[in-house]
Amino acid sequence: ELQAPTRLIEWARGNRVCVAGYGQSDGNEILQLIPPPTLLTKETQGLCPERDFKVECGGFSERPVYSLKYVPDTSLLVTSGPPDSSLQVWQMSAEDSDVIKSVSTIATENGTGQSWAKIATISARAPWVLHGSRLDRVQITEVESKKNVYTATSRSSEELSNLAFLDCNTLLLCCATGRLCLADIRQPESLVEAVSVPSVPCSEQWCMGTRHGAQGLEPSYQPVARLSSRGLLTLTDLRKTSELLALGKTRIPSPGSGAEFLCVSWAPALEGYLAISGFDGTVHVYDTQSWDSSGREAEPIFVHKGHAFGGAGGSRDPPLVTAHTWHLQKPRTLLSAASDGSLHVWDWVQPCGKC
């Protein structure tokens, strides 16, 4: 049980988990947690006497944290949040300290008045952060030197919902309208629309989840899932951007036009499995391997309802799942956080018919 509403979960070095609060105008906690022993082993264990996370180090952000990313192979975190599109860089504690301290700010050109920046990180060549709030304001910055490495060229100022590194040269950008764009940093002028979504109401908002670099997958096979605020899921293979792999309607309780906490993610160790959240106090898991382009309603193989029925805080409003992520080694284990400050780790038993 955390002290404030938590918006995100991020895996960091040494299988640590980073979380951050978003509910206060100042004093939002950023914590690095040590998972329970049962989560630190690859093998599935039985009952474990120690079931709690432990705080290893922490700090405070003067602004709400809406996005947090660990910079691979470093001890750095990058965060963003209102009221502008600037980024904050944090140093995780050394062995003799339990403090996560702010070390620098990455200001953005014309950042004032812009919405908070979406971010992604990579350390293929150097510690880089990809960031932007709109399609015409996407750039890559070297985290430590603050040197600008790349700036996208676009005539569109559409709002972004997600962005990702596909590799050290290729970027994927998802607009709130669901439009996908590919970019190559070696050719700044080559921002190419990959595929649009099916015809949907203008009020519908979208987010995306990418799966790449997973074991057993072809290097070029990079499926992308897009989730709409009304529960529509589209699957796209970036090798064939002119067509959809599959289209499905998820079972969400009350579709809405908001997309503040929409989240879709691919399982890193299970072929074709993904999870969605952000509609209510549940997380839905789907097996997409049998999906087609019919758009029929899909049946979830599991629904985690723990936040809805066992949340902390005693708030009158039912808790809303604000983020989820998959365990990196345990195929059916997920972490999820909710607006009441609860952080859950859970898994599900595979039905016998699919053993």
Side-chain angles (χ1 to χ4, degrees):
E1 296 180 7
L2 301 168
Q3 296 300 311
T6 301
R7 188 185 176 101
L8 37 85
I9 311 166
E10 175 78 357
W11 288 99
R13 59 179 180 174
N15 276 332
R16 299 314 196 242
V17 175
C18 292
V19 297
Y22 69 90
Q24 307 296 326
S25 58
D26 58 2
N28 291 280
E29 282 188 305
I30 300 176
L31 301 175
Q32 181 173 285
L33 307 176
I34 302 175
T38 187
L39 285 183
L40 297 177
T41 60
K42 293 184 179 180
E43 297 79 14
T44 301
Q45 296 180 333
L47 291 176
C48 180
E50 180 57 67
R51 296 167 58 86
D52 294 333
F53 284 83
K54 294 182 179 179
V55 176
E56 185 172 36
C57 55
F60 288 92
S61 170
E62 295 180 354
R63 60 173 70 197
V65 181
Y66 276 30
S67 186
L68 178 152
K69 294 293 180 182
Y70 167 64
V71 183
D73 305 321
T74 72
S75 58
L76 300 174
L77 298 171
V78 180
T79 65
S80 66
D84 55 38
S85 59
S86 64
L87 309 181
Q88 289 69 51
V89 182
W90 304 81
Q91 175 80 50
M92 288 184 282
S93 69
E95 293 182 0
D96 58 346
S97 172
D98 60 359
V99 176
I100 297 177
K101 62 179 181 180
S102 176
V103 292
S104 65
T105 297
I106 298 175
T108 54
E109 185 178 355
N110 299 323
T112 304
Q114 296 295 318
S115 60
W116 60 279
K118 284 66 178 180
I119 55 180
T121 56
I122 195 172
S123 289
R125 299 174 181 170
W128 286 355
V129 57
L130 168 66
H131 56 103
S133 59
R134 297 190 175 275
L135 197 57
D136 60 348
R137 300 183 186 277
V138 175
Q139 59 190 82
I140 296 174
T141 303
E142 195 170 284
V143 176
E144 294 170 315
S145 69
K146 301 183 186 178
K147 176 184 176 182
N148 178 268
V149 177
Y150 165 83
T151 301
T153 302
S154 175
R155 297 179 181 177
S156 172
S157 60
E158 285 187 61
E159 182 180 354
L160 291 171
S161 61
N162 305 88
L163 35 73
F165 283 101
L166 297 180
D167 55 40
C168 61
N169 292 314
T170 314
L171 318 174
L172 183 64
L173 315 175
C174 180
C175 299
T177 59
R179 192 160 68 102
L180 290 179
C181 292
L182 284 164
D184 190 320
I185 67 172
R186 296 164 295 188
Q187 301 173 351
E189 71 282 354
S190 64
L191 197 62
V192 178
E193 179 175 344
V195 62
S196 297
V197 293
S199 179
V200 293
C202 295
S203 60
E204 201 152 354
Q205 301 289 298
W206 293 78
C207 70
M208 77 167 180
T210 59
R211 186 191 185 203
H212 55 279
Q215 292 183 356
L217 288 179
E218 299 177 39
S220 59
Y221 178 55
Q222 296 171 327
V224 178
R226 281 172 293 172
L227 172 66
S228 83
S229 54
R230 293 184 177 271
L232 195 66
L233 257 175
T234 71
L235 308 182
T236 305
D237 183 350
L238 292 181
R239 297 173 301 179
K240 300 178 180 179
T241 58
S242 61
E243 59 187 59
L244 292 176
L245 282 178
L247 179 65
K249 186 76 170 75
T250 62
R251 284 195 172 185
I252 58 172
S254 54
S257 58
E260 185 178 8
F261 299 111
L262 280 187
C263 182
V264 56
S265 63
W266 290 98
L270 286 176
E271 182 69 30
Y273 282 67
L274 54 76
I276 67 169
S277 64
F279 298 97
D280 59 5
T282 64
V283 182
H284 291 214
V285 179
Y286 291 89
D287 179 0
T288 67
Q289 294 180 90
S290 61
W291 286 18
D292 55 29
S293 58
S294 65
R296 65 174 181 265
E297 185 174 86
E299 180 79 23
I301 63 168
F302 185 80
V303 179
H304 176 64
K305 301 179 181 179
H307 294 284
F309 295 112
S315 173
R316 292 183 180 180
D317 296 326
L320 173 68
V321 173
T322 56
H324 75 262
T325 189
W326 294 79
H327 194 282
L328 301 179
Q329 287 89 32
K330 296 178 181 292
R332 295 183 179 86
T333 299
L334 293 92
L335 289 77
S336 53
S339 56
D340 62 355
S342 58
L343 175 64
H344 288 185
V345 185
W346 50 275
D347 55 21
W348 79 94
V349 177
Q350 183 77 351
C352 291
K354 294 186 178 181
C355 289

